[in-house]
Amino acid sequence: MLDVVVVGAGISGCAVARELARSQLSVEVLEAGNDVAFGASRTNSGIVHGGFDPEPGTAKAAYNVRGMRLIPHLATELGFRYRNNGSLVVAFDDAGLATVDDLVARGRRNGVYDVSAIGAAELRELEPNVNPAARGALLCGCSGICDPFGMCVAFAENAVTNGVRFRFDAPVASVARRAGTSATAGWDVTLEGGEVISARAVVNAAGVFACDLHNQVSADKLESRPRAGEYVLLSRDSGTTFSHTMFRTPGPAGKGVLVSPTIEGNLIVGPDAVDRTDPRDTSTNPDGLAWVREQASDLWPGFNGRDVIVNFCGVRPSGADGDFVIGEPADAPGFFDMAAIDSPGLTSAPAIAREVASAVADLLHAKPNASFDGHRDQPLRFIEMSEQERARAIKADPRFGHIVCRCEQVSEAEVLAAIHAPIPATTIVGIKRRCRAGTGKCQGGFCEPLVAELVSRECGIPLTQVQLEGEGSQIAPYARGEVRP
């Protein structure tokens, strides 16, 4: 029997897996997809929220502020990209200015002290491209941006190097308590294929399916609805339009559309917020994207859409009362929820993970793992090297001199490092998210065949079996010269 099974390898599951590795526990992470961040976490905007928005006294407020303070240190320790760029919430009328004052007061009640109201002149000095009709804003100095996928990979890889095991393509069908009366009698986790995995404790980090899993073990039922958010990503040509993450004052529909630089130098715009019935439905909608662009134009009148390189949609679980659900249900000891995690889930994940992992370790009377090493080196990037660094890198490994992706200047050495990492990237999208091959203006038009050949060669599989992202997504299902109806 394992000590702990974690269901889900999104940002919550990967963060708690790393924290559990601090204790002498056998831990296995079960993920339905074939990579980390395969569900809700795959389409995160990468915003590190300051913590002024959640209602005081909620779990969201507490974890948001604590997580926001942890992330800069974790970025250094684990080698993922983060920048403290600050955020602005822009008001256009008297009601908006009153909302700014309310948010400043709310932020201070949440323990966020680097927040203030500024006037129109200071706003335009900070952001010359903002709509000149803006009358003021909230300025939050502790907000930031990060690489959301890189953060997830960093947690997961560090967990693996400290003894945690990840299993992919392992969808969980059910969870049930094992026979027995003690709090540590354990749980049987059954996979869709019928395999049963027993563990003394279960951490439920199943994203949009977390409430369903909770309802299998507790009489205190949870409700959540899948809520879709559509985004527009612009090329680096627009990446310096704003330096801060820009919001409008929130309304009845929520925080509204943001316009923000990304950690990779692009500009991201979105999201809308539309309830859907299918949690797997990540299709984009022309009307939704048009609404996103219209809302962004209020903040940025110069937005014309010419630099858009891709649209995408993410689905997150929105809880019935709007708050996170964290910890053990009263009638299911040893089963730990990380459920109803919507925004600000990425920011909150490190704080939630520490609390849940500590509770699991206490329950199982686990001793500290004296050999735990929390450091992870940041992967090298050819595009970020100086000329001297490039020369040294190529001399040490000539594959740095073979550029695979011309748009993002990604070398063969970087692609191979991703394929042979502690969490191996074995699909085109998995490599794209780790080292940016295929994220430029051509969106993989030139480099995708080269990446596919490297995956085929390094993984020892035919080119016809290389997948774009998951089962059934082979990019070249037939060999050359082979024609099928």
Side-chain angles (χ1 to χ4, degrees), residues 320-392:
D321 68 355
D323 206 0
F324 299 154
V325 178
I326 308 299
E328 291 173 284
D331 57 351
F335 184 93
F336 293 83
D337 281 316
M338 301 173 79
I341 306 291
D342 56 0
S343 180
L346 179 86
T347 309
S348 305
I352 297 172
R354 285 195 175 184
E355 187 168 295
V356 170
S358 177
V360 172
D362 287 346
L363 177 74
L364 302 183
H365 305 293
K367 296 179 181 178
N369 178 5
S371 63
F372 177 82
D373 180 0
H375 178 78
R376 169 183 175 268
D377 290 328
Q378 187 174 68
L380 296 173
R381 284 190 175 179
F382 187 81
I383 194 172
E384 296 173 350
M385 296 178 186
S386 67
E387 289 300 319
Q388 293 78 10
E389 289 170 335
R390 290 180 176 184
R392 286 197 295 270

Side-chain angles (χ1 to χ4, degrees), residues 49-122:
H49 293 275
F52 55 81
D53 185 64
E55 287 289 340
T58 61
K60 280 188 176 180
Y63 291 122
N64 183 161
V65 174
R66 287 158 53 191
M68 172 270 293
R69 291 172 178 156
L70 287 170
I71 285 175
H73 306 288
L74 287 167
T76 300
E77 186 176 29
L78 291 170
F80 64 84
R81 287 163 173 78
Y82 163 82
R83 178 157 58 92
N84 171 215
N85 68 320
S87 62
L88 290 159
V89 182
V90 180
F92 289 91
D93 52 26
D94 289 344
L97 292 172
T99 299
V100 164
D101 290 337
D102 290 344
L103 288 174
V104 170
R106 186 189 298 181
R108 289 173 180 163
R109 289 201 298 275
N110 288 342
V112 183
Y113 299 107
D114 193 4
V115 61
S116 59
I118 62 173
E122 186 176 352

Side-chain angles (χ1 to χ4, degrees), residues 37 41 48 157 178 183 220 310-311 374 379 382 389 402 417 423 426 469:
S41 299
V48 179
E157 290 190 352
R178 289 169 59 83
D220 184 12
V310 68
N311 306 316
F382 187 81
E389 289 170 335
H402 176 210
I423 301 283
T426 58
E469 189 168 19

Side-chain angles (χ1 to χ4, degrees), residues 432-445:
K432 175 181 180 179
R433 289 178 173 155
R434 284 168 173 81
C435 56
R436 292 186 58 81
T439 61
K441 283 187 174 180
C442 83
Q443 286 291 290

Side-chain angles (χ1 to χ4, degrees), residues 283-298:
S283 60
T284 54
N285 180 290
D287 293 338
L289 292 172
W291 183 85
V292 165
R293 293 178 183 183
E294 178 185 335
Q295 293 291 306
S297 297
D298 286 346

Side-chain angles (χ1 to χ4, degrees), residues 121-350:
E122 186 176 352
L123 169 61
R124 278 192 284 277
E125 186 174 342
L126 291 171
E127 296 291 355
N129 291 311
V130 72
N131 189 334
R135 294 179 53 190
L138 173 150
L139 171 62
C140 180
C142 55
S143 304
I145 52 178
C146 72
D147 172 4
F149 188 80
M151 182 176 169
C152 206
V153 170
F155 280 132
E157 290 190 352
N158 190 244
V160 168
T161 57
N162 283 288
V164 174
R165 182 183 176 193
F166 279 66
R167 287 183 62 181
F168 296 101
D169 297 314
V172 170
S174 65
V175 178
R177 177 166 287 286
R178 289 169 59 83
T181 57
S182 82
T184 55
W187 299 87
D188 283 337
V189 180
T190 304
L191 303 185
E192 288 187 0
E195 181 183 354
V196 178
I197 301 166
S198 299
R200 297 168 65 198
V202 171
V203 177
N204 173 21
V208 293
F209 302 103
C211 289
D212 296 337
L213 210 60
H214 163 100
N215 292 341
Q216 293 184 13
V217 305
S218 174
D220 184 12
K221 304 302 182 187
L222 298 179
E223 292 183 17
S224 73
R225 55 187 181 279
R227 176 164 290 176
E230 295 171 277
Y231 288 94
V232 175
L233 187 69
L234 282 70
S235 75
R236 287 179 172 172
D237 293 344
S238 296
T240 57
T241 304
F242 296 106
S243 59
H244 295 77
T245 298
M246 309 290 290
F247 299 91
R248 282 197 59 161
T249 48
K255 298 176 186 175
V257 167
L258 64 84
V259 181
S260 176
T262 73
I263 198 68
E264 303 290 358
N266 300 83
L267 198 72
I268 190 169
V269 176
D272 56 357
V274 179
D275 289 348
R276 291 187 175 174
T277 55
D278 182 358
R280 295 183 177 86
D281 181 4
T282 57
S283 60
T284 54
N285 180 290
D287 293 338
L289 292 172
W291 183 85
V292 165
R293 293 178 183 183
E294 178 185 335
Q295 293 291 306
S297 297
D298 286 346
L299 284 167
W300 177 28
F303 179 32
N304 54 31
R306 282 198 300 247
D307 291 330
V308 172
I309 56 174
V310 68
N311 306 316
F312 62 94
C313 175
V315 178
R316 294 161 186 81
S318 181
D321 68 355
D323 206 0
F324 299 154
V325 178
I326 308 299
E328 291 173 284
D331 57 351
F335 184 93
F336 293 83
D337 281 316
M338 301 173 79
I341 306 291
D342 56 0
S343 180
L346 179 86
T347 309
S348 305

